[in-house]
Amino acid sequence: MEEYFNTTKYEVLAPAGSYECMLAAFNAGADAVYVGGQLFGARAFANNFSQEELIKAIDYAHMHDKKLFLTVNTLLKNQEIDKKLIEYLTPLYEAGLDAVIVQDFGVLSLVKEHFPKIDIHASTQMTVTGEHFAKVLKNYGVSRIVPARELSLKEIESIYRETGLEIECFVHGALCYSYSGMCLLSSLIGARSGNRGRCAQPCRLPYDVLFDNETKKEQYPLSPKDLCTLKILPKILKAGVYSLKIEGRMKKPEYVASVTAMYRKYVDMFVAKGEDGYKVSDDDIKLLMEIYNRGGFTEGYYEKHNGKELMSLDRPNHMGVKVANVLSVDVKRKVLVAKAIENISKDDVLEIFLSKGQSLYIKTDSINKNKEFTISFNNISSSKNERLDFNKLSSNINKSTSIMRTRNNSLIKNIQEKYINTKNDTSLLFGGNIVANLDSNISIDIWIDDIYVHLDGPKPESATNRPTTADDILKQFSKTGGTGFKLDESNFNITIDDGLFINIKEINQLRRDALEQLQVLVLDKYKRKYEEVDERETNIIDNSSIDKILRTVLVSTIDQLDTVIDIENIDMIYVELSLLDSRSENEWDGFISRAHRQGKKILLALPYITRTFAKNYINNIKYMLEQLDFDGYLFRNMETVALFDHMKLDKKYYVFDNTIYGMNNYSIKFLEGFKPDMLTASYELNKSELMHLDLSVMELCIYGYIPVMVSAGCIKKSYNKCDKISENNYIKDRLGNKFICVNQCKYCYNILYNSTPLYLQDLKAELLSLKPKALRYNFVNETPSQVKDILSGNTIKNYTRGHYKRGVE
């Protein structure tokens, strides 16, 4: 791979869910941290920073030549973006905040307009999957892209090569099963939205996986292993990645410090020795495993599209490392006999993992490596706090049973001593010049780069006893603890006449005064003045002028299409693009002509995710797209919008689906710049919130199974059942809810649909009073007779109102 990014400086970017984590990250060698405040961050349940802490943290970062980025990477409702966003960001902007990380298009446009001197980073929640959308974001003022975590190194390299933007990629920590920004699972089943920073992580729960002839009971098909990229770090850097992002704003300082220190070590190794001299120690990987891993590590999607190796199917939480093997079970004495393969400390947490999420915890004394030891039944407890029966217990344990360590107490103490309970020196070096003679005031000059401070002190006296020496002054000016400065002795000159006396208190006061002034000047480099911007009107169109509300239908099968074309009072039909090459051009001409004769538009619904597979498919059928008389397209992501513009395909009638989020009127205004004929309202808005949106340009979905996840991961591939045949599979949760999982092989992604369909048809009069531009029905696996029943207004039994009544926090 050609090396496009030539640099000796890369950024190690660490998570900081608290001020303590920030200090640990900087002590461990982070160049920058990303943090959340009390509002608008994608980790609402982290111990986020108060406004005062944020300003203090910004100053601390700058005093140590570091950077601090703020997450504003959630979707905002109208009342939030109108009343809170600018007020929230203004003092942070003035304090010198280095960058904001954004998801919402409305936030992007407002930050660019109100805070022109701050860097804008496009969050992974924006689902950037290609260079075409990245170019659009660059034109809107974005300076850095955090692409979708599922991208390959080749795709990342292409974004960098085509845009020149800074690229920030995740290199360690938890992975989401769904493309970030394309998940509504937590939102729909528990009203805790990932798009609003409140994900409940239902992907870490057990599900039954149902294939045609087989059921996998209570496994974790949606739970990926944790990411660890140390071994492929040179490839990542050579692909154009500048910032190496560690996941973990919900993690403790010990985790943040240890992982940050490890990536600092190996980035520095690569810079110093190059790829040829780069070698990762097995002990370092093992240390990271001890800190946290889910069933081992994965190198993610950088060199692999999906597969079982990425998944932790048996356990969704920390697995630890194996430290002992069970040798035998003595039922009579009620003991386990085991042999240590690592040194074990008394306070370590040892665990035996059983099936169905149950673990056994073991208390033991310190044990040396290779020593046999016994574990009494009295020293075993259950993770479920249930009373244990040793006879039943012993039937689940045999010679192949591993004893895992999930907390290495000595390792944790070492990390605390090295990075948390002590301060590593990341202070700014200052030089200086001090002149002291009997005839004039003491002259003090100190500086950092081009920042100078000059002070005049008192006149020295003639010494009556021991005179003050240059070493005395140097010693006092070296006492800079806690100031963020450190004396550069090689760049500090002291000239003092013989026989002078200067009071130590006066020297210390001069040092304090000089460093205080220097600090003010250093921080002033980062300070900005917020200049007020006139508020703009966002409710552009008066929807009271709408005289007809359209009725639209999305179909996923040819049978559904054949049925819908002949049903009256349908104005527009969306047909999944993946169906296109399943019929000849003549057959499609027939479908389109039938629709047009009945006054219906027929549009193609484009992929949810547009990457190499989807782009190749679109290129392969470009001729058909140009020849057939389709009326337009339903876009699911901004990469496809930009791609079609690049390919110069006739735009015709454009509709943006709900996955191109118009959550507030500012984002709607932003999206209107791409001239769509219609947008689709978010599933996460309730009636009251919809009333405050410009619905004159939007359609509302009133029926259908809602896509709750779009994933590069494939249920079939994870269970070694990939046959490249698109079909429906299912997973079932512990409450018996059954979710449809459709593997889209043309695009190589999966769509997981909610267990019950959205149904608002009986509220049609109420919906019409909102005066949207259209009402839509989405069909996934319904039969033609079910399609007819629903469109004729017949009531269904099992359904959900989605968020129409309740909304999300």
Side-chain angles (χ1 to χ4, degrees), residues 65-88:
D65 198 23
K66 309 290 186 180
K67 291 185 177 181
L68 187 139
F69 309 144
L70 180 69
T71 57
V72 193
N73 55 342
T74 56
L75 300 179
L76 272 61
K77 300 175 185 178
N78 262 341
Q79 61 268 33
E80 296 167 332
I81 200 167
D82 270 335
K83 297 178 182 178
K84 297 179 182 178
L85 179 65
I86 304 305
E87 180 183 340
Y88 172 60

Side-chain angles (χ1 to χ4, degrees), residues 143-162:
S143 61
R144 180 182 293 192
I145 298 290
V146 189
R149 280 174 272 201
E150 292 77 6
L151 296 196
S152 68
L153 289 175
K154 186 175 181 180
E155 290 168 311
I156 292 166
E157 179 192 30
S158 179
I159 293 174
Y160 175 72
R161 185 180 63 244
E162 294 295 325

Side-chain angles (χ1 to χ4, degrees), residues 204-402:
R204 305 298 183 186
L205 295 176
Y207 298 87
D208 292 344
V209 183
L210 297 96
F211 298 108
D212 285 341
N213 301 312
E214 186 180 358
T215 298
K216 300 287 187 181
K217 297 290 287 183
E218 287 206 5
Q219 292 197 308
Y220 298 89
L222 309 181
S223 180
K225 294 177 182 177
D226 275 12
L227 182 66
C228 177
T229 62
L230 282 183
K231 292 184 178 179
I232 61 168
L233 208 57
K235 294 181 181 180
I236 293 172
L237 296 172
K238 289 174 68 178
V241 176
Y242 165 67
S243 180
L244 304 173
K245 187 170 194 173
I246 298 164
E247 183 276 338
R249 279 198 293 128
M250 299 290 286
K251 295 289 201 305
K252 295 180 179 179
E254 292 83 359
Y255 174 92
V256 172
S258 57
V259 178
T260 300
M262 199 64 72
Y263 279 84
R264 174 82 277 152
K265 171 183 175 178
Y266 282 99
V267 168
D268 291 347
M269 180 190 292
F270 175 72
V271 170
K273 298 182 178 180
E275 194 168 8
D276 290 341
Y278 186 89
K279 182 174 175 59
V280 178
S281 158
D282 289 341
D283 287 341
D284 285 343
I285 297 293
K286 182 180 168 185
L287 184 150
L288 291 174
M289 294 272 287
E290 292 255 30
I291 292 298
Y292 200 91
N293 78 88
R294 286 183 172 90
F297 284 139
T298 173
E299 291 175 350
Y301 299 93
Y302 289 114
E303 297 185 302
K304 190 174 183 62
H305 187 78
N306 54 26
K308 186 174 184 178
E309 299 85 357
L310 275 75
M311 304 304 297
S312 181
L313 299 174
D314 297 321
R315 180 168 178 153
N317 54 3
H318 181 36
M319 179 71 81
V321 298
K322 185 162 80 168
V323 293
N325 291 313
V326 174
L327 299 180
S328 63
V329 181
D330 189 328
V331 178
K332 186 175 181 180
R333 293 170 55 211
K334 290 189 176 182
V335 297
L336 306 179
V337 180
K339 182 177 182 179
I341 60 173
E342 300 285 347
N343 291 327
I344 298 171
S345 300
K346 179 180 179 181
D347 295 323
D348 288 351
V349 176
L350 304 185
E351 186 176 348
I352 293 176
F353 173 65
L354 302 178
S355 60
K356 297 185 180 180
Q358 183 183 8
S359 292
L360 302 176
Y361 292 103
I362 298 167
K363 291 181 181 179
T364 186
D365 293 323
S366 296
I367 302 160
N368 293 327
K369 184 178 179 179
N370 297 323
K371 183 179 179 182
E372 291 188 12
F373 61 101
T374 59
I375 303 165
S376 167
F377 177 53
N378 295 327
N379 289 332
I380 299 176
S381 59
S382 168
S383 59
K384 296 186 176 181
N385 294 319
E386 58 189 11
R387 189 171 183 177
L388 297 175
D389 181 319
F390 190 81
N391 291 324
K392 289 182 179 179
L393 180 66
S394 62
S395 65
N396 292 317
I397 299 174
N398 52 49
K399 286 184 70 173
S400 63
T401 299
S402 299

Side-chain angles (χ1 to χ4, degrees), residues 5 9-11 144 166-168 237 240-244:
F5 197 89
K9 176 69 175 175
Y10 300 97
E11 181 180 271
R144 180 182 293 192
E166 288 183 355
I167 306 297
E168 173 184 309
L237 296 172
V241 176
Y242 165 67
S243 180
L244 304 173

Side-chain angles (χ1 to χ4, degrees), residues 452-481:
Y452 283 80
V453 168
H454 175 79
L455 281 180
D456 288 324
K459 284 184 180 181
E461 303 171 1
S462 295
T464 57
N465 294 308
R466 178 181 175 274
T468 301
T469 66
D471 286 343
D472 293 330
I473 296 173
L474 183 67
K475 180 180 178 182
Q476 299 310 311
F477 267 77
S478 299
K479 296 178 179 180
T480 58

